[in-house]
């Protein structure tokens, strides 16, 4: 099973003041809503995934991550496969909304291990203008709830090196580091820095 992810979990940007616009309403005027993704969400999910992939280019380690772990671009075929797998329970696909406007998404695979299944968060992304109002937190809480209901013994995710906001976000959600991956570039095709 391949490992794919999109980062951009949280931002060091200040909390929205209510003047940032999401759809036609200020971001802070809505309570975050998380729901299972539906086929009708496909275009919004593809757009969110492409935006998340573009942000990898500006992150330390993002180039290597994009070549090895991230979903390929265009994102449509992988989104289609995840929506189909969600019907069988092998994948959890969620949409995070402010009002009726999708502003984030989350994907976790349910993987077999030598003991209990493991939920692996492959994507957790919120649009920059909709961050710091609880959408990401609501999505990870929903992933934990759904993974527990699926009988998973744990949930895990990845954060790129130096992405302190993402690491802090995961730790505040109860996830702790258990492994560090190191890398050395041997050719000019992939860089260590974004």
């Amino acid at each position: 099973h391949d490992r794919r992810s999109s980062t951009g979990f949280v931002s060091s940007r200040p909390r929205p003041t209510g003047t940032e616009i999401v759809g036609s309403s200020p971001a802070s005027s809505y309570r975050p809503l998380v729901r299972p993704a539906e086929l009708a969400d496909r275009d919004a999910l593809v757009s969110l995934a492409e935006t998340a992939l573009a942000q990898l280019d500006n992150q330390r380690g993002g180039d290597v991550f994009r070549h090895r772990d991230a979903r390929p671009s265009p994102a449509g075929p992988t989104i289609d496969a995840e929506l189909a797998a969600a019907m069988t329970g092998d994948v959890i696909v969620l949409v995070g909304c402010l009002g009726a406007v999708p502003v984030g998404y989350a994907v976790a695979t349910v993987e077999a291990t030598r003991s209990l299944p493991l939920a692996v968060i492959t994507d957790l992304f919120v649009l920059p203008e909709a961050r710091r109002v609880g959408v990401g937190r609501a999505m990870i809480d929903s992933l934990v709830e759904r993974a527990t209901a699926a009988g998973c013994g744990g949930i895990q995710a990845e954060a790129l090196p130096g992405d302190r906001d993402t690491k802090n976000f995961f730790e505040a959600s109860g996830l702790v580091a258990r492994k560090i991956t190191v890398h050395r570039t041997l050719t000019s095709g992939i860089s260590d820095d974004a």
Side-chain angles (χ1 to χ4, degrees), residues 1 7 23 32 87 94 110-111 131 134-135 138 148 157-158 178 188:
H1 195 260
T7 60
M87 301 296 191
L94 303 175
V110 177
E111 299 180 2
R131 292 180 184 162
V135 177
T148 300
E158 295 180 349
R178 66 168 186 83
S188 61

Side-chain angles (χ1 to χ4, degrees), residues 149-169:
C152 292
I155 189 165
Q156 72 181 33
E158 295 180 349
L160 289 175
D163 191 348
R164 174 77 47 197
D165 285 339
T166 297
K167 181 182 173 292
N168 291 344
F169 172 79

